[in-house]
Amino acid sequence: DTGVSQDPRHKITKRGQNVTFRCDPISEHNRLYWYRQTLGQGPEFLTYFQNEAQLEKSRLLSDRFSAERPKGSFSTLEIQRTEQGDSAMYLCASSLSDTSSGANVLTFGAGSRLTVL
Amino acid sequence: AQRVTQPEKLLSVFKGAPVELKCNYSYSGSPELFWYVQYSRQRLQLLLRHISRESIKGFTADLNKGETSFHLKKPFAQEEDSAMYYCAPFTGGGNKLTFGTGTQLKVEL
């Protein structure tokens, strides 16, 4: 296990197309997070899962965005009918939720950069 | 409103000078506070958390509940400290990190 993996690293698409990003968390981590980061801004929370349950979604996550974590392991983030405003870095992170010293410490992936033309 | 504020977008210091990156937060309850760092071409990573009371790479951060601040300090800046630094409270109710806008630290020779 080499940490949090994200795929693809960079996606260029035309406006109106659908895109899907995949995140593979650290295997023993039960929480998985998606963030979005645009130039000059800090990461903005989108959604998170505990095991397979999606427990919170940001108001930033419009109806065009959907995230899944079907078996409590990897997760996908799909954006339908992409818009130029969706261009950003999409970050995935994972963590533990128990009371261990590692709880609440998010480990981030390298991100998937989306460019919508 | 709940928010975290990092007032400086860019902080430039000379090598060997002291560094202080400011962070103020406005959250109900007692959030756990973190500093994350992103070096050039690397992924976002944890620098330190307030409950650990550790010094990481010479950096320390003291939580001041009265002033609701969590400033990051280092007595002598090194060139390798140049990076983007984010302050981030972890809110138990929300179970997520909320990031500030970040401060770009540039250490000049």
Side-chain angles (χ1 to χ4, degrees):
Chain A
D1 194 322
T2 56
V4 179
S5 299
Q6 292 189 245
D7 184 70
R9 293 292 307 276
H10 194 179
K11 178 72 176 178
I12 301 172
T13 190
K14 293 182 179 179
R15 189 176 53 187
Q17 298 295 305
N18 299 343
V19 297
T20 300
F21 301 115
R22 176 182 169 120
C23 172
D24 288 89
I26 292 173
S27 56
E28 60 266 31
H29 285 182
N30 60 337
R31 281 192 182 158
L32 186 148
Y33 296 81
W34 285 100
Y35 284 80
R36 180 172 67 188
Q37 186 173 24
T38 54
L39 199 62
Q41 299 296 318
E44 296 173 298
F45 170 79
L46 293 179
T47 188
Y48 91 96
F49 295 82
Q50 182 153 319
N51 301 312
E52 65 275 8
Q54 188 174 18
L55 297 186
E56 187 174 345
K57 291 170 60 174
S58 165
R59 285 171 291 178
L60 292 174
L61 217 62
S62 76
D63 292 344
R64 297 184 296 105
F65 287 70
S66 62
E68 294 182 342
R69 194 183 183 198
K71 297 182 180 179
S73 56
F74 74 92
S75 175
T76 57
L77 177 68
E78 181 183 16
I79 309 173
Q80 296 182 324
R81 305 181 302 281
T82 52
E83 301 173 356
Q84 287 185 325
D86 297 332
S87 295
M89 178 73 85
Y90 290 85
L91 299 171
C92 178
S94 67
S95 75
L96 293 167
S97 64
D98 62 16
T99 55
S100 70
S101 61
N104 299 344
V105 175
L106 271 61
T107 300
F108 282 84
S112 291
R113 181 171 296 282
L114 174 64
T115 302
V116 182
L117 302 176
Chain B
Q2 296 184 330
R3 63 179 181 272
V4 54
T5 303
Q6 293 181 251
E8 303 128 333
K9 291 191 75 70
L10 174 65
L11 183 64
S12 186
V13 301
F14 286 106
K15 180 181 175 182
V19 174
E20 183 178 47
L21 302 174
K22 291 183 168 55
C23 172
N24 288 89
Y25 64 94
S26 172
Y27 280 85
S28 58
S30 297
E32 185 175 3
L33 276 296
F34 293 80
W35 278 97
Y36 277 76
V37 61
Q38 189 164 28
Y39 301 101
S40 179
R41 301 183 185 278
Q42 294 187 27
R43 59 187 68 188
L44 195 59
Q45 59 186 278
L46 174 69
L47 180 61
L48 54 79
R49 61 195 297 196
H50 87 268
I51 64 171
S52 298
R53 296 183 175 275
E54 293 176 307
S55 173
I56 306 294
K57 299 184 179 183
F59 284 96
T60 59
D62 291 323
L63 179 61
N64 186 323
K65 291 186 177 181
E67 295 180 358
T68 60
S69 68
F70 188 54
H71 302 328
L72 184 68
K73 299 177 183 179
K74 184 170 182 177
F76 308 105
Q78 301 299 313
E79 190 180 1
E80 58 266 27
D81 297 329
S82 294
M84 180 67 86
Y85 292 80
Y86 295 98
C87 179
F90 190 96
T91 53
N95 287 322
K96 62 182 182 285
L97 281 175
T98 300
F99 288 86
T101 51
T103 297
Q104 179 74 47
L105 175 65
K106 183 177 180 182
V107 180
E108 299 184 78
L109 299 176

